[in-house]
């Protein structure tokens, strides 16, 4: 049973599967949900949620489902986390968005910028403490794990590595890539995962920096932008990235990929949502967040090969993604502390890499 699942299983079965309801209080204390007859009529409204690309985490299906059930329009949005936060800050005096979806490192930044407000949908209480703001100004809806994504054809007779130590072996020289931690959030997550797995802490990155220096000496490259397409094409035989970036290519594009969570340990990569402070359609924004934590919303997210925050992976998908025993090696940390340590790590990383 996964770490998240153990947290969730501590509650009753009724609390395990959050039901999509609207109209909960936007204060820090969750208020009783209204009766179904009191559900607001959103017909004709438009939900604006920043950073909701159709091709990621099954957002196309999520938005279409929500729009159909509520008789609203719900367009996708192609901003990334950094662009979404920047837009919220720029529009703070007159917000245009109702909700936002971000990598977890941006959650504390959104709170600091005061661009999200407190809201606790049903099921909020089941989310592990490290995966939510206690006031409800952001909370995780799904997660994943740092993993090795290998192109089996490009590796030839070599097997996809299963350990961080494997990547330092001569036979994998020049075959490994991960995104530059100074340029990409997922690159910083890779570096943090290696550091924690090899004995480091959020405050002590020495083991990770030493390892990454050795990895560079073995020919590792660090592109600045997403490299999933290159591993699919075989240009990069081994990419260290989030597992959910490999599964869609493996199962939807029939790419010859193997995806392994390293044996020494890894890091979970959660994504969060928040209600935009002063957004134009606050009740619609709340309904969207309710939906994402509902049983239906969580199942639809899972179809995008991400691990729902409820921990309940549908049986047919459980056969394709990492087993619970493997996923348990990916730890949950204090992501606010991890984000706070990023600037110092990047400075040290640039020195270590020359």
């Amino acid at each position: 049973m996964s770490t998240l699942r153990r947290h969730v299983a501590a509650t009753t079965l009724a609390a395990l599967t959050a039901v999509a309801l609207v109209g909960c209080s936007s204060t820090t204390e969750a208020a009783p949900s209204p009766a179904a007859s009191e559900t607001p009529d959103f017909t004709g409204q438009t939900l604006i949620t920043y950073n909701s690309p159709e091709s990621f985490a099954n957002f196309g299906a999520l938005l279409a489902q929500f729009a159909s059930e509520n008789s609203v329009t719900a367009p996708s949005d192609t901003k990334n986390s950094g662009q979404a936060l920047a837009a919220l800050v720029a529009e703070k005096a007159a917000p245009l968005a109702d909700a936002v979806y971000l990598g977890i490192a941006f959650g504390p930044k959104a709170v600091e910028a005061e661009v999200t407000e407190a809201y606790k949908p049903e099921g909020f209480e089941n989310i592990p403490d490290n995966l939510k703001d206690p006031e409800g100004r952001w909370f995780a809806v799904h997660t994943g794990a740092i993993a090795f994504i290998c192109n089996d054809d490009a590796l030839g007779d070599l097997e996809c590595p299963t350990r961080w130590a494997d990547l330092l072996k001569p036979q994998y020289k020049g075959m490994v890539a991960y995104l530059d931690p100074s340029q990409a959030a997922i690159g910083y997550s890779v570096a943090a995962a290696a550091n924690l797995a090899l004995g480091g802490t959020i405050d002590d990155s020495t083991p990770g920096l030493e390892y990454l220096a050795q990895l560079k000496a073995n020919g590792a490259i660090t592109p600045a932008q997403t490299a999933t397409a290159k591993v699919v094409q075989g240009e990069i035989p081994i990419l260290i990235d989030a597992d959910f970036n490999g599964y869609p290519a493996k199962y939807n594009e029939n790419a010859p990929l193997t995806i392994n969570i390293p044996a020494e340990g890894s890091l979970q990569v959660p994504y969060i949502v928040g209600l935009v402070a002063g957004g134009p359609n606050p009740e619609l924004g709340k309904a969207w967040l309710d939906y994402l934590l509902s049983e239906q919303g969580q199942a639809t997210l899972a179809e995008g090969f991400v691990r729902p925050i409820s921990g309940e992976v549908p049986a047919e998908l459980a056969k394709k993604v990492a087993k619970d025993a493997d996923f348990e090696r990916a730890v949950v940390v204090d992501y606010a502390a991890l984000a706070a340590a990023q600037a110092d790590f990047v400075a040290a990383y640039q020195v270590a890499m020359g």
Side-chain angles (χ1 to χ4, degrees):
M1 181 176 288
S2 69
T3 301
L4 286 181
R5 197 165 178 176
R6 283 198 300 269
H7 279 284
V8 174
T11 62
T12 63
L13 181 60
L16 177 64
T17 51
V19 182
L21 298 170
V22 296
C24 297
S25 170
S26 61
T27 65
T28 58
E29 294 299 322
S33 300
S37 61
E38 298 175 6
T39 300
D41 181 3
F42 300 122
T43 301
Q45 294 186 25
T46 298
L47 172 76
I48 300 298
T49 178
Y50 281 171
N51 187 17
S52 53
E54 289 187 3
S55 60
F56 186 72
N58 211 24
F59 259 94
L62 287 163
L63 292 166
Q65 214 170 65
F66 180 81
S68 176
E69 292 181 2
N70 291 279
S71 300
V72 300
T73 301
S76 64
D77 179 77
T78 58
K79 296 180 186 65
N80 61 28
S81 294
Q83 292 167 338
L85 181 59
L88 292 181
V89 172
E91 299 161 3
K92 188 174 178 180
L96 301 178
D98 305 301
V100 64
Y101 170 77
L102 302 164
I104 195 167
F106 291 87
K109 295 177 182 178
V111 170
E112 183 179 357
E114 299 182 336
V115 294
T116 57
E117 64 182 67
Y119 180 62
K120 298 180 180 180
E122 185 173 345
F124 178 87
E125 67 278 7
N126 302 323
I127 301 173
D129 289 343
N130 283 351
L131 299 180
K132 63 186 177 186
D133 170 63
E135 305 296 324
R137 291 168 294 188
W138 59 264
F139 51 88
V141 288
H142 72 76
T143 188
I146 294 298
F148 305 152
I149 304 173
C150 302
N151 185 303
D152 298 329
D153 290 348
L155 284 177
D157 294 333
L158 295 174
E159 293 186 355
C160 183
T162 60
R163 304 178 62 86
W164 291 102
D166 290 342
L167 302 182
L168 301 180
K169 293 178 179 179
Q171 57 264 44
Y172 296 111
K173 186 175 181 65
M175 291 188 172
V176 180
Y178 63 96
L179 296 193
D180 185 344
S182 67
Q183 301 290 324
I186 196 67
Y188 178 51
S189 294
V190 168
N195 181 54
L196 294 168
L198 300 175
T201 66
I202 292 176
D203 297 322
D204 178 15
S205 57
T206 302
L209 291 171
E210 291 178 349
Y211 172 80
L212 295 175
Q214 291 177 293
L215 197 60
K216 180 183 178 182
N218 203 36
I221 60 171
T222 53
Q225 298 179 336
T226 181
T228 307
K230 291 186 177 181
V231 74
V232 169
Q233 295 161 5
E235 295 178 37
I236 295 174
I238 304 168
L239 177 67
I240 315 174
D241 207 300
D243 62 344
F244 51 68
N245 285 331
Y247 295 128
K250 178 178 176 69
Y251 295 109
N252 297 340
E253 302 173 29
N254 296 315
L257 301 182
T258 294
I259 300 163
N260 290 332
I261 296 177
E264 301 98 325
S266 185
L267 176 70
Q268 288 194 28
V269 187
Y271 275 71
I272 61 100
V273 294
L275 183 68
V276 173
N281 301 294
E283 295 306 314
L284 184 60
K286 292 173 187 177
W288 168 248
L289 301 187
D290 290 339
Y291 165 71
L292 291 176
L293 282 190
S294 72
E295 183 177 11
Q296 182 184 39
Q298 288 283 281
T300 304
L301 274 166
E303 290 173 5
F305 299 101
V306 296
R307 186 165 288 253
I309 206 63
S310 69
E312 292 299 303
V313 180
E316 60 203 46
L317 288 168
K319 299 174 184 178
K320 298 179 178 181
V321 300
K323 297 178 180 178
D324 286 349
D326 294 330
F327 192 79
E328 282 181 344
R329 297 197 294 271
V331 298
V332 172
V333 299
D334 183 339
Y335 290 94
L338 192 65
Q342 184 170 1
D344 288 342
F345 174 85
V346 167
Y349 173 84
Q350 291 174 327
V351 171
M353 297 300 112

